[in-house]
């Protein structure tokens, strides 16, 4: 897992804000290795817990497990 570039960090922040606006979001499929290690940043704006989260191609780090 590589450290995210500044552009990726900005993209993750935008994605997180937009996901926070989806009040009825119950399922999510994350399928990009570039997002590995950034689950907290991606999911932190959600208004309710997800019922299903698929993490295809993402590496889970210890920080991801403690967050989930």
């Amino acid at each position: 897992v590589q450290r995210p570039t500044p552009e990726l960090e900005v993209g993750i922040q935008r994605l997180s804000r937009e996901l926070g606006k989806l009040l009825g979001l119950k399922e999510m499929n994350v399928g990009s290795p570039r997002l590995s290690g950034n689950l907290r940043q991606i999911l932190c704006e959600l208004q309710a817990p997800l019922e299903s989260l698929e993490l295809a191609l993402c590496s889970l780090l210890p920080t991801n497990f403690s967050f989930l």
Side-chain angles (χ1 to χ4, degrees):
V1 177
Q2 298 178 357
R3 182 161 174 80
T5 63
E7 294 83 10
L8 180 59
E9 288 182 10
V10 169
I12 289 172
Q13 291 171 357
R14 287 182 184 160
L15 173 62
S16 178
R17 279 194 306 269
E18 294 303 314
L19 288 174
K21 295 176 185 178
L22 300 172
L23 302 179
L25 185 64
K26 295 182 187 227
E27 298 180 4
M28 189 169 161
N29 180 337
V30 179
S32 173
R34 295 178 61 193
L35 301 179
S36 296
N38 296 298
L39 288 180
R40 179 182 299 274
Q41 293 86 349
I42 295 166
L43 303 177
C44 69
E45 297 289 331
L46 294 180
Q47 303 300 311
L50 294 171
E51 292 176 7
S52 172
L53 175 62
E54 184 176 337
L55 300 169
L57 304 176
C58 288
S59 299
L60 291 176
L61 303 176
T63 56
N64 297 139
F65 285 112
S66 61
F67 173 71
L68 293 173

Tab-separated table of all heavy atoms in Angstrom:
chain	number	residue	atom	x	y	z
A	1	VAL	N	0.858	-1.177	0.000
A	1	VAL	CA	0.000	0.000	0.000
A	1	VAL	C	0.892	1.224	0.000
A	1	VAL	O	1.783	1.341	0.837
A	1	VAL	CB	-0.930	0.010	1.231
A	1	VAL	CG1	-1.762	1.263	1.271
A	1	VAL	CG2	-1.800	-1.217	1.237
A	2	GLN	N	0.646	2.114	-0.939
A	2	GLN	CA	1.461	3.314	-1.064
A	2	GLN	C	0.771	4.498	-0.398
A	2	GLN	O	-0.441	4.527	-0.248
A	2	GLN	CB	1.686	3.631	-2.533
A	2	GLN	CG	2.438	2.554	-3.276
A	2	GLN	CD	2.587	2.904	-4.745
A	2	GLN	OE1	2.086	3.911	-5.214
A	2	GLN	NE2	3.287	2.059	-5.461
A	3	ARG	N	1.564	5.469	-0.007
A	3	ARG	CA	1.017	6.702	0.562
A	3	ARG	C	0.262	7.432	-0.539
A	3	ARG	O	0.744	7.575	-1.656
A	3	ARG	CB	2.153	7.550	1.090
A	3	ARG	CG	1.673	8.824	1.729
A	3	ARG	CD	2.735	9.397	2.635
A	3	ARG	NE	2.356	10.684	3.157
A	3	ARG	CZ	1.539	10.861	4.173
A	3	ARG	NH1	1.021	9.820	4.782
A	3	ARG	NH2	1.234	12.070	4.585
A	4	PRO	N	-0.959	7.910	-0.229
A	4	PRO	CA	-1.749	8.594	-1.260
A	4	PRO	C	-1.122	9.918	-1.690
A	4	PRO	O	-0.526	10.617	-0.881
A	4	PRO	CB	-3.105	8.827	-0.596
A	4	PRO	CG	-2.921	8.567	0.844
A	4	PRO	CD	-1.656	7.803	1.031
A	5	THR	N	-1.282	10.230	-2.955
A	5	THR	CA	-0.811	11.506	-3.479
A	5	THR	C	-1.754	12.610	-3.000
A	5	THR	O	-2.880	12.332	-2.591
A	5	THR	CB	-0.808	11.489	-5.013
A	5	THR	OG1	-2.158	11.323	-5.463
A	5	THR	CG2	0.072	10.368	-5.554
A	6	PRO	N	-1.332	13.868	-3.048
A	6	PRO	CA	-2.234	14.955	-2.664
A	6	PRO	C	-3.529	14.958	-3.490
A	6	PRO	O	-4.604	15.234	-2.953
A	6	PRO	CB	-1.406	16.220	-2.928
A	6	PRO	CG	0.018	15.765	-2.803
A	6	PRO	CD	0.023	14.351	-3.323
A	7	GLU	N	-3.423	14.603	-4.760
A	7	GLU	CA	-4.618	14.560	-5.608
A	7	GLU	C	-5.575	13.473	-5.146
A	7	GLU	O	-6.796	13.672	-5.122
A	7	GLU	CB	-4.230	14.331	-7.073
A	7	GLU	CG	-3.465	15.458	-7.707
A	7	GLU	CD	-1.959	15.412	-7.409
A	7	GLU	OE1	-1.468	14.392	-6.866
A	7	GLU	OE2	-1.288	16.411	-7.704
A	8	LEU	N	-5.035	12.313	-4.778
A	8	LEU	CA	-5.876	11.222	-4.290
A	8	LEU	C	-6.520	11.609	-2.962
A	8	LEU	O	-7.701	11.325	-2.734
A	8	LEU	CB	-5.074	9.932	-4.141
A	8	LEU	CG	-5.855	8.710	-3.641
A	8	LEU	CD1	-7.007	8.377	-4.587
A	8	LEU	CD2	-4.931	7.519	-3.481
A	9	GLU	N	-5.787	12.274	-2.090
A	9	GLU	CA	-6.344	12.707	-0.808
A	9	GLU	C	-7.521	13.665	-1.013
A	9	GLU	O	-8.543	13.546	-0.348
A	9	GLU	CB	-5.274	13.352	0.054
A	9	GLU	CG	-4.278	12.348	0.596
A	9	GLU	CD	-3.234	12.975	1.491
A	9	GLU	OE1	-3.360	14.166	1.857
A	9	GLU	OE2	-2.285	12.266	1.846
A	10	VAL	N	-7.392	14.600	-1.946
A	10	VAL	CA	-8.483	15.526	-2.253
A	10	VAL	C	-9.676	14.751	-2.815
A	10	VAL	O	-10.824	14.998	-2.439
A	10	VAL	CB	-8.022	16.626	-3.237
A	10	VAL	CG1	-9.200	17.425	-3.767
A	10	VAL	CG2	-7.011	17.541	-2.567
A	11	GLY	N	-9.406	13.795	-3.693
A	11	GLY	CA	-10.480	12.974	-4.259
A	11	GLY	C	-11.195	12.161	-3.198
A	11	GLY	O	-12.429	12.041	-3.223
A	12	ILE	N	-10.457	11.628	-2.244
A	12	ILE	CA	-11.062	10.855	-1.154
A	12	ILE	C	-11.931	11.759	-0.287
A	12	ILE	O	-13.037	11.376	0.121
A	12	ILE	CB	-9.973	10.145	-0.330
A	12	ILE	CG1	-9.377	9.000	-1.151
A	12	ILE	CG2	-10.516	9.638	0.998
A	12	ILE	CD1	-8.162	8.352	-0.528
A	13	GLN	N	-11.472	12.963	-0.010
A	13	GLN	CA	-12.276	13.911	0.773
A	13	GLN	C	-13.576	14.253	0.053
A	13	GLN	O	-14.643	14.298	0.673
A	13	GLN	CB	-11.479	15.179	1.046
A	13	GLN	CG	-10.332	14.980	1.998
A	13	GLN	CD	-9.429	16.192	2.078
A	13	GLN	OE1	-9.614	17.192	1.382
A	13	GLN	NE2	-8.419	16.107	2.933
A	14	ARG	N	-13.506	14.476	-1.239
A	14	ARG	CA	-14.718	14.778	-2.021
A	14	ARG	C	-15.667	13.591	-2.035
A	14	ARG	O	-16.878	13.747	-1.860
A	14	ARG	CB	-14.349	15.155	-3.446
A	14	ARG	CG	-13.743	16.504	-3.579
A	14	ARG	CD	-13.439	16.821	-5.026
A	14	ARG	NE	-12.764	18.093	-5.117
A	14	ARG	CZ	-12.039	18.476	-6.142
A	14	ARG	NH1	-11.885	17.673	-7.184
A	14	ARG	NH2	-11.464	19.647	-6.161
A	15	LEU	N	-15.114	12.400	-2.259
A	15	LEU	CA	-15.926	11.188	-2.261
A	15	LEU	C	-16.627	11.022	-0.917
A	15	LEU	O	-17.833	10.738	-0.863
A	15	LEU	CB	-15.042	9.971	-2.558
A	15	LEU	CG	-15.709	8.604	-2.442
A	15	LEU	CD1	-16.839	8.456	-3.445
A	15	LEU	CD2	-14.676	7.501	-2.617
A	16	SER	N	-15.910	11.217	0.159
A	16	SER	CA	-16.481	11.082	1.489
A	16	SER	C	-17.632	12.066	1.713
A	16	SER	O	-18.691	11.694	2.219
A	16	SER	CB	-15.394	11.304	2.538
A	16	SER	OG	-15.924	11.218	3.826
A	17	ARG	N	-17.443	13.317	1.326
A	17	ARG	CA	-18.506	14.323	1.478
A	17	ARG	C	-19.745	13.943	0.681
A	17	ARG	O	-20.869	14.060	1.162
A	17	ARG	CB	-18.002	15.698	1.031
A	17	ARG	CG	-17.184	16.403	2.065
A	17	ARG	CD	-17.000	17.873	1.718
A	17	ARG	NE	-16.449	18.092	0.388
A	17	ARG	CZ	-15.161	18.200	0.096
A	17	ARG	NH1	-14.268	18.109	1.050
A	17	ARG	NH2	-14.760	18.426	-1.138
A	18	GLU	N	-19.544	13.480	-0.549
A	18	GLU	CA	-20.681	13.109	-1.391
A	18	GLU	C	-21.392	11.865	-0.850
A	18	GLU	O	-22.618	11.788	-0.879
A	18	GLU	CB	-20.230	12.886	-2.837
A	18	GLU	CG	-19.725	14.144	-3.520
A	18	GLU	CD	-20.738	15.278	-3.531
A	18	GLU	OE1	-21.923	15.030	-3.857
A	18	GLU	OE2	-20.357	16.415	-3.214
A	19	LEU	N	-20.636	10.896	-0.346
A	19	LEU	CA	-21.259	9.710	0.254
A	19	LEU	C	-22.093	10.100	1.469
A	19	LEU	O	-23.142	9.514	1.728
A	19	LEU	CB	-20.194	8.687	0.658
A	19	LEU	CG	-19.508	7.954	-0.487
A	19	LEU	CD1	-18.372	7.089	0.056
A	19	LEU	CD2	-20.497	7.104	-1.273
A	20	GLY	N	-21.634	11.078	2.230
A	20	GLY	CA	-22.378	11.555	3.392
A	20	GLY	C	-23.729	12.142	3.041
A	20	GLY	O	-24.626	12.196	3.878
A	21	LYS	N	-23.894	12.573	1.810
A	21	LYS	CA	-25.168	13.132	1.348
A	21	LYS	C	-26.184	12.057	0.964
A	21	LYS	O	-27.363	12.346	0.814
A	21	LYS	CB	-24.936	14.044	0.143
A	21	LYS	CG	-24.108	15.274	0.466
A	21	LYS	CD	-23.851	16.063	-0.800
A	21	LYS	CE	-22.921	17.236	-0.555
A	21	LYS	NZ	-22.646	17.970	-1.809
A	22	LEU	N	-25.723	10.822	0.794
A	22	LEU	CA	-26.604	9.722	0.392
A	22	LEU	C	-27.210	9.092	1.645
A	22	LEU	O	-26.706	8.111	2.180
A	22	LEU	CB	-25.832	8.688	-0.428
A	22	LEU	CG	-25.199	9.202	-1.712
A	22	LEU	CD1	-24.309	8.127	-2.321
A	22	LEU	CD2	-26.265	9.644	-2.692
A	23	LEU	N	-28.291	9.660	2.120
A	23	LEU	CA	-28.866	9.249	3.392
A	23	LEU	C	-29.395	7.823	3.378
A	23	LEU	O	-29.450	7.171	4.410
A	23	LEU	CB	-29.975	10.220	3.798
A	23	LEU	CG	-29.529	11.686	3.914
A	23	LEU	CD1	-30.699	12.564	4.295
A	23	LEU	CD2	-28.384	11.814	4.897
A	24	GLY	N	-29.787	7.312	2.222
A	24	GLY	CA	-30.325	5.962	2.132
A	24	GLY	C	-29.297	4.909	1.736
A	24	GLY	O	-29.659	3.770	1.460
A	25	LEU	N	-28.014	5.267	1.719
A	25	LEU	CA	-26.975	4.330	1.301
A	25	LEU	C	-26.886	3.169	2.283
A	25	LEU	O	-26.713	3.363	3.483
A	25	LEU	CB	-25.628	5.047	1.219
A	25	LEU	CG	-24.453	4.236	0.693
A	25	LEU	CD1	-24.686	3.830	-0.765
A	25	LEU	CD2	-23.162	5.024	0.833
A	26	LYS	N	-27.058	1.952	1.764
A	26	LYS	CA	-27.008	0.756	2.610
A	26	LYS	C	-25.949	-0.228	2.158
A	26	LYS	O	-25.481	-1.032	2.946
A	26	LYS	CB	-28.369	0.060	2.620
A	26	LYS	CG	-29.442	0.902	3.262
A	26	LYS	CD	-30.750	0.179	3.296
A	26	LYS	CE	-31.788	1.139	3.795
A	26	LYS	NZ	-32.629	0.613	4.796
A	27	GLU	N	-25.602	-0.193	0.870
A	27	GLU	CA	-24.619	-1.121	0.326
A	27	GLU	C	-23.568	-0.341	-0.452
A	27	GLU	O	-23.881	0.652	-1.099
A	27	GLU	CB	-25.291	-2.117	-0.616
A	27	GLU	CG	-26.322	-2.985	0.051
A	27	GLU	CD	-26.978	-3.953	-0.906
A	27	GLU	OE1	-26.578	-4.018	-2.083
A	27	GLU	OE2	-27.908	-4.644	-0.470
A	28	MET	N	-22.337	-0.845	-0.393
A	28	MET	CA	-21.261	-0.164	-1.096
A	28	MET	C	-20.239	-1.188	-1.558
A	28	MET	O	-19.906	-2.127	-0.838
A	28	MET	CB	-20.601	0.855	-0.165
A	28	MET	CG	-19.646	1.752	-0.843
A	28	MET	SD	-19.220	3.086	0.298
A	28	MET	CE	-17.750	3.640	-0.462
A	29	ASN	N	-19.742	-0.992	-2.774
A	29	ASN	CA	-18.724	-1.848	-3.346
A	29	ASN	C	-17.528	-0.964	-3.676
A	29	ASN	O	-17.610	-0.099	-4.535
A	29	ASN	CB	-19.261	-2.531	-4.603
A	29	ASN	CG	-18.250	-3.446	-5.247
A	29	ASN	OD1	-17.048	-3.304	-5.067
A	29	ASN	ND2	-18.737	-4.394	-6.006
A	30	VAL	N	-16.424	-1.188	-2.974
A	30	VAL	CA	-15.192	-0.435	-3.198
A	30	VAL	C	-14.241	-1.360	-3.930
A	30	VAL	O	-13.837	-2.380	-3.397
A	30	VAL	CB	-14.583	0.038	-1.861
A	30	VAL	CG1	-13.284	0.787	-2.108
A	30	VAL	CG2	-15.568	0.909	-1.106
A	31	GLY	N	-13.903	-1.016	-5.159
A	31	GLY	CA	-13.093	-1.912	-5.971
A	31	GLY	C	-11.875	-1.262	-6.574
A	31	GLY	O	-11.607	-1.436	-7.751
A	32	SER	N	-11.136	-0.500	-5.787
A	32	SER	CA	-9.936	0.146	-6.304
A	32	SER	C	-8.788	-0.040	-5.317
A	32	SER	O	-8.905	0.352	-4.156
A	32	SER	CB	-10.176	1.634	-6.523
A	32	SER	OG	-8.966	2.275	-6.868
A	33	PRO	N	-7.678	-0.596	-5.764
A	33	PRO	CA	-6.539	-0.756	-4.855
A	33	PRO	C	-5.967	0.583	-4.392
A	33	PRO	O	-5.304	0.652	-3.369
A	33	PRO	CB	-5.525	-1.547	-5.674
A	33	PRO	CG	-5.925	-1.388	-7.090
A	33	PRO	CD	-7.405	-1.133	-7.095
A	34	ARG	N	-6.249	1.648	-5.109
A	34	ARG	CA	-5.750	2.973	-4.720
A	34	ARG	C	-6.413	3.479	-3.447
A	34	ARG	O	-5.941	4.412	-2.817
A	34	ARG	CB	-5.959	3.966	-5.852
A	34	ARG	CG	-5.137	3.617	-7.077
A	34	ARG	CD	-5.380	4.556	-8.210
A	34	ARG	NE	-5.001	5.906	-7.818
A	34	ARG	CZ	-5.318	6.981	-8.500
A	34	ARG	NH1	-6.016	6.861	-9.612
A	34	ARG	NH2	-4.950	8.166	-8.103
A	35	LEU	N	-7.544	2.868	-3.070
A	35	LEU	CA	-8.249	3.299	-1.872
A	35	LEU	C	-7.857	2.489	-0.641
A	35	LEU	O	-8.319	2.770	0.458
A	35	LEU	CB	-9.761	3.210	-2.103
A	35	LEU	CG	-10.281	4.045	-3.279
A	35	LEU	CD1	-11.773	3.862	-3.436
A	35	LEU	CD2	-9.931	5.512	-3.101
A	36	SER	N	-6.993	1.498	-0.812
A	36	SER	CA	-6.552	0.669	0.309
A	36	SER	C	-5.951	1.538	1.408
A	36	SER	O	-5.201	2.472	1.137
A	36	SER	CB	-5.505	-0.343	-0.158
A	36	SER	OG	-6.072	-1.227	-1.081
A	37	GLY	N	-6.297	1.229	2.633
A	37	GLY	CA	-5.770	1.975	3.768
A	37	GLY	C	-6.485	3.281	4.035
A	37	GLY	O	-6.100	4.022	4.931
A	38	ASN	N	-7.534	3.591	3.290
A	38	ASN	CA	-8.236	4.869	3.434
A	38	ASN	C	-9.718	4.696	3.772
A	38	ASN	O	-10.502	5.617	3.562
A	38	ASN	CB	-8.110	5.677	2.139
A	38	ASN	CG	-6.684	6.046	1.849
A	38	ASN	OD1	-6.045	6.752	2.620
A	38	ASN	ND2	-6.152	5.542	0.759
A	39	LEU	N	-10.094	3.553	4.297
A	39	LEU	CA	-11.513	3.317	4.562
A	39	LEU	C	-12.104	4.305	5.558
A	39	LEU	O	-13.224	4.770	5.391
A	39	LEU	CB	-11.740	1.882	5.054
A	39	LEU	CG	-11.586	0.809	3.995
A	39	LEU	CD1	-11.836	-0.555	4.611
A	39	LEU	CD2	-12.520	1.039	2.831
A	40	ARG	N	-11.370	4.633	6.607
A	40	ARG	CA	-11.890	5.592	7.594
A	40	ARG	C	-12.208	6.927	6.912
A	40	ARG	O	-13.259	7.509	7.126
A	40	ARG	CB	-10.901	5.799	8.730
A	40	ARG	CG	-11.390	6.807	9.772
A	40	ARG	CD	-10.361	7.033	10.868
A	40	ARG	NE	-10.045	5.843	11.610
A	40	ARG	CZ	-10.732	5.400	12.656
A	40	ARG	NH1	-11.792	6.055	13.062
A	40	ARG	NH2	-10.357	4.311	13.288
A	41	GLN	N	-11.292	7.393	6.079
A	41	GLN	CA	-11.494	8.671	5.406
A	41	GLN	C	-12.675	8.609	4.439
A	41	GLN	O	-13.405	9.580	4.281
A	41	GLN	CB	-10.233	9.093	4.655
A	41	GLN	CG	-9.060	9.421	5.537
A	41	GLN	CD	-8.239	8.188	5.916
A	41	GLN	OE1	-8.634	7.055	5.688
A	41	GLN	NE2	-7.098	8.404	6.531
A	42	ILE	N	-12.864	7.471	3.783
A	42	ILE	CA	-13.934	7.329	2.802
A	42	ILE	C	-15.296	7.220	3.473
A	42	ILE	O	-16.273	7.820	3.030
A	42	ILE	CB	-13.679	6.092	1.905
A	42	ILE	CG1	-12.418	6.304	1.069
A	42	ILE	CG2	-14.876	5.808	1.007
A	42	ILE	CD1	-11.909	5.047	0.416
A	43	LEU	N	-15.362	6.474	4.563
A	43	LEU	CA	-16.652	6.164	5.181
A	43	LEU	C	-17.020	7.060	6.354
A	43	LEU	O	-18.123	6.953	6.883
A	43	LEU	CB	-16.643	4.702	5.652
A	43	LEU	CG	-16.349	3.657	4.581
A	43	LEU	CD1	-16.289	2.268	5.201
A	43	LEU	CD2	-17.378	3.706	3.468
A	44	CYS	N	-16.156	7.965	6.750
A	44	CYS	CA	-16.380	8.750	7.966
A	44	CYS	C	-17.592	9.673	7.906
A	44	CYS	O	-18.140	10.030	8.946
A	44	CYS	CB	-15.128	9.530	8.337
A	44	CYS	SG	-14.716	10.865	7.212
A	45	GLU	N	-18.039	10.067	6.741
A	45	GLU	CA	-19.161	11.000	6.622
A	45	GLU	C	-20.524	10.305	6.519
A	45	GLU	O	-21.550	10.976	6.456
A	45	GLU	CB	-18.976	11.907	5.403
A	45	GLU	CG	-17.754	12.800	5.462
A	45	GLU	CD	-17.879	13.914	6.481
A	45	GLU	OE1	-19.009	14.356	6.753
A	45	GLU	OE2	-16.834	14.330	7.010
A	46	LEU	N	-20.537	8.972	6.497
A	46	LEU	CA	-21.813	8.259	6.368
A	46	LEU	C	-22.715	8.584	7.550
A	46	LEU	O	-22.265	8.645	8.693
A	46	LEU	CB	-21.586	6.745	6.289
A	46	LEU	CG	-20.854	6.241	5.052
A	46	LEU	CD1	-20.706	4.725	5.124
A	46	LEU	CD2	-21.587	6.624	3.776
A	47	GLN	N	-23.989	8.759	7.260
A	47	GLN	CA	-24.958	9.128	8.290
A	47	GLN	C	-25.520	7.916	9.029
A	47	GLN	O	-26.084	8.062	10.107
A	47	GLN	CB	-26.104	9.924	7.656
A	47	GLN	CG	-25.646	11.167	6.929
A	47	GLN	CD	-24.919	12.132	7.849
A	47	GLN	OE1	-25.407	12.451	8.921
A	47	GLN	NE2	-23.744	12.585	7.439
A	48	ALA	N	-25.402	6.737	8.439
A	48	ALA	CA	-25.911	5.505	9.044
A	48	ALA	C	-24.971	4.363	8.667
A	48	ALA	O	-24.277	4.429	7.659
A	48	ALA	CB	-27.329	5.218	8.543
A	49	PRO	N	-24.961	3.302	9.462
A	49	PRO	CA	-24.099	2.163	9.135
A	49	PRO	C	-24.528	1.483	7.842
A	49	PRO	O	-25.712	1.469	7.503
A	49	PRO	CB	-24.277	1.211	10.318
A	49	PRO	CG	-25.084	1.911	11.322
A	49	PRO	CD	-25.685	3.101	10.700
A	50	LEU	N	-23.567	0.940	7.139
A	50	LEU	CA	-23.853	0.161	5.941
A	50	LEU	C	-24.318	-1.238	6.346
A	50	LEU	O	-23.860	-1.779	7.349
A	50	LEU	CB	-22.604	0.035	5.071
A	50	LEU	CG	-22.066	1.311	4.446
A	50	LEU	CD1	-20.713	1.040	3.799
A	50	LEU	CD2	-23.042	1.866	3.434
A	51	GLU	N	-25.180	-1.816	5.547
A	51	GLU	CA	-25.577	-3.208	5.746
A	51	GLU	C	-24.605	-4.142	5.043
A	51	GLU	O	-24.415	-5.278	5.457
A	51	GLU	CB	-26.991	-3.440	5.216
A	51	GLU	CG	-28.047	-2.719	6.017
A	51	GLU	CD	-29.436	-2.878	5.442
A	51	GLU	OE1	-29.624	-3.664	4.483
A	51	GLU	OE2	-30.339	-2.198	5.936
A	52	SER	N	-23.986	-3.656	3.964
A	52	SER	CA	-23.073	-4.475	3.181
A	52	SER	C	-21.952	-3.605	2.639
A	52	SER	O	-22.190	-2.514	2.115
A	52	SER	CB	-23.840	-5.120	2.019
A	52	SER	OG	-22.981	-5.774	1.139
A	53	LEU	N	-20.716	-4.099	2.773
A	53	LEU	CA	-19.546	-3.411	2.248
A	53	LEU	C	-18.659	-4.449	1.573
A	53	LEU	O	-18.167	-5.366	2.215
A	53	LEU	CB	-18.774	-2.706	3.366
A	53	LEU	CG	-17.457	-2.043	2.986
A	53	LEU	CD1	-17.690	-0.930	1.976
A	53	LEU	CD2	-16.760	-1.520	4.227
A	54	GLU	N	-18.488	-4.319	0.258
A	54	GLU	CA	-17.612	-5.226	-0.494
A	54	GLU	C	-16.325	-4.487	-0.799
A	54	GLU	O	-16.351	-3.348	-1.282
A	54	GLU	CB	-18.279	-5.678	-1.785
A	54	GLU	CG	-17.447	-6.682	-2.541
A	54	GLU	CD	-18.153	-7.215	-3.771
A	54	GLU	OE1	-19.384	-7.169	-3.838
A	54	GLU	OE2	-17.443	-7.663	-4.679
A	55	LEU	N	-15.206	-5.136	-0.539
A	55	LEU	CA	-13.897	-4.509	-0.697
A	55	LEU	C	-13.037	-5.276	-1.685
A	55	LEU	O	-11.971	-5.777	-1.353
A	55	LEU	CB	-13.201	-4.417	0.663
A	55	LEU	CG	-13.934	-3.602	1.713
A	55	LEU	CD1	-13.305	-3.800	3.077
A	55	LEU	CD2	-13.957	-2.144	1.325
A	56	ALA	N	-13.488	-5.361	-2.920
A	56	ALA	CA	-12.724	-6.045	-3.962
A	56	ALA	C	-11.472	-5.242	-4.291
A	56	ALA	O	-11.522	-4.017	-4.423
A	56	ALA	CB	-13.587	-6.211	-5.205
A	57	LEU	N	-10.356	-5.910	-4.373
A	57	LEU	CA	-9.065	-5.324	-4.747
A	57	LEU	C	-8.472	-4.375	-3.711
A	57	LEU	O	-7.470	-3.736	-3.979
A	57	LEU	CB	-9.159	-4.596	-6.097
A	57	LEU	CG	-9.665	-5.411	-7.275
A	57	LEU	CD1	-9.792	-4.523	-8.499
A	57	LEU	CD2	-8.767	-6.594	-7.558
A	58	CYS	N	-9.080	-4.250	-2.551
A	58	CYS	CA	-8.553	-3.371	-1.508
A	58	CYS	C	-7.807	-4.193	-0.471
A	58	CYS	O	-8.296	-5.223	-0.025
A	58	CYS	CB	-9.682	-2.616	-0.809
A	58	CYS	SG	-10.414	-1.329	-1.808
A	59	SER	N	-6.652	-3.710	-0.083
A	59	SER	CA	-5.904	-4.337	1.001
A	59	SER	C	-6.385	-3.747	2.315
A	59	SER	O	-6.518	-2.535	2.444
A	59	SER	CB	-4.411	-4.050	0.852
A	59	SER	OG	-3.930	-4.580	-0.353
A	60	LEU	N	-6.657	-4.611	3.273
A	60	LEU	CA	-7.072	-4.130	4.583
A	60	LEU	C	-5.861	-4.042	5.510
A	60	LEU	O	-5.079	-4.967	5.622
A	60	LEU	CB	-8.113	-5.066	5.187
A	60	LEU	CG	-9.468	-5.059	4.484
A	60	LEU	CD1	-10.383	-6.100	5.108
A	60	LEU	CD2	-10.109	-3.695	4.538
A	61	LEU	N	-5.724	-2.908	6.155
A	61	LEU	CA	-4.653	-2.671	7.102
A	61	LEU	C	-5.222	-2.743	8.510
A	61	LEU	O	-6.433	-2.661	8.703
A	61	LEU	CB	-4.036	-1.295	6.857
A	61	LEU	CG	-3.493	-1.047	5.441
A	61	LEU	CD1	-3.012	0.377	5.307
A	61	LEU	CD2	-2.390	-2.033	5.118
A	62	PRO	N	-4.379	-2.888	9.519
A	62	PRO	CA	-4.883	-2.953	10.909
A	62	PRO	C	-5.796	-1.777	11.263
A	62	PRO	O	-6.778	-1.948	11.981
A	62	PRO	CB	-3.610	-2.966	11.740
A	62	PRO	CG	-2.595	-3.611	10.855
A	62	PRO	CD	-2.928	-3.130	9.466
A	63	THR	N	-5.480	-0.581	10.773
A	63	THR	CA	-6.341	0.574	11.068
A	63	THR	C	-7.729	0.404	10.466
A	63	THR	O	-8.707	0.871	11.030
A	63	THR	CB	-5.724	1.880	10.550
A	63	THR	OG1	-5.476	1.762	9.160
A	63	THR	CG2	-4.434	2.204	11.271
A	64	ASN	N	-7.813	-0.266	9.302
A	64	ASN	CA	-9.115	-0.534	8.692
A	64	ASN	C	-9.931	-1.471	9.576
A	64	ASN	O	-11.122	-1.253	9.776
A	64	ASN	CB	-8.972	-1.175	7.314
A	64	ASN	CG	-8.281	-0.288	6.305
A	64	ASN	OD1	-7.461	-0.742	5.527
A	64	ASN	ND2	-8.580	1.001	6.296
A	65	PHE	N	-9.298	-2.513	10.093
A	65	PHE	CA	-10.006	-3.472	10.939
A	65	PHE	C	-10.523	-2.810	12.205
A	65	PHE	O	-11.652	-3.041	12.624
A	65	PHE	CB	-9.109	-4.661	11.297
A	65	PHE	CG	-8.924	-5.617	10.156
A	65	PHE	CD1	-7.702	-5.763	9.547
A	65	PHE	CD2	-9.979	-6.392	9.697
A	65	PHE	CE1	-7.519	-6.655	8.491
A	65	PHE	CE2	-9.819	-7.267	8.651
A	65	PHE	CZ	-8.573	-7.409	8.049
A	66	SER	N	-9.718	-1.970	12.840
A	66	SER	CA	-10.175	-1.326	14.068
A	66	SER	C	-11.309	-0.346	13.786
A	66	SER	O	-12.213	-0.196	14.594
A	66	SER	CB	-9.018	-0.623	14.789
A	66	SER	OG	-8.468	0.386	13.980
A	67	PHE	N	-11.296	0.295	12.621
A	67	PHE	CA	-12.387	1.190	12.249
A	67	PHE	C	-13.663	0.416	11.961
A	67	PHE	O	-14.738	0.779	12.422
A	67	PHE	CB	-12.011	2.023	11.024
A	67	PHE	CG	-13.136	2.836	10.472
A	67	PHE	CD1	-13.608	3.940	11.168
A	67	PHE	CD2	-13.737	2.511	9.276
A	67	PHE	CE1	-14.664	4.689	10.674
A	67	PHE	CE2	-14.784	3.253	8.768
A	67	PHE	CZ	-15.239	4.352	9.467
A	68	LEU	N	-13.551	-0.668	11.204
A	68	LEU	CA	-14.729	-1.457	10.839
A	68	LEU	C	-15.310	-2.130	12.065
A	68	LEU	O	-16.485	-2.290	12.207
A	68	LEU	CB	-14.380	-2.498	9.771
A	68	LEU	CG	-13.995	-1.917	8.416
A	68	LEU	CD1	-13.504	-3.028	7.496
A	68	LEU	CD2	-15.162	-1.189	7.784
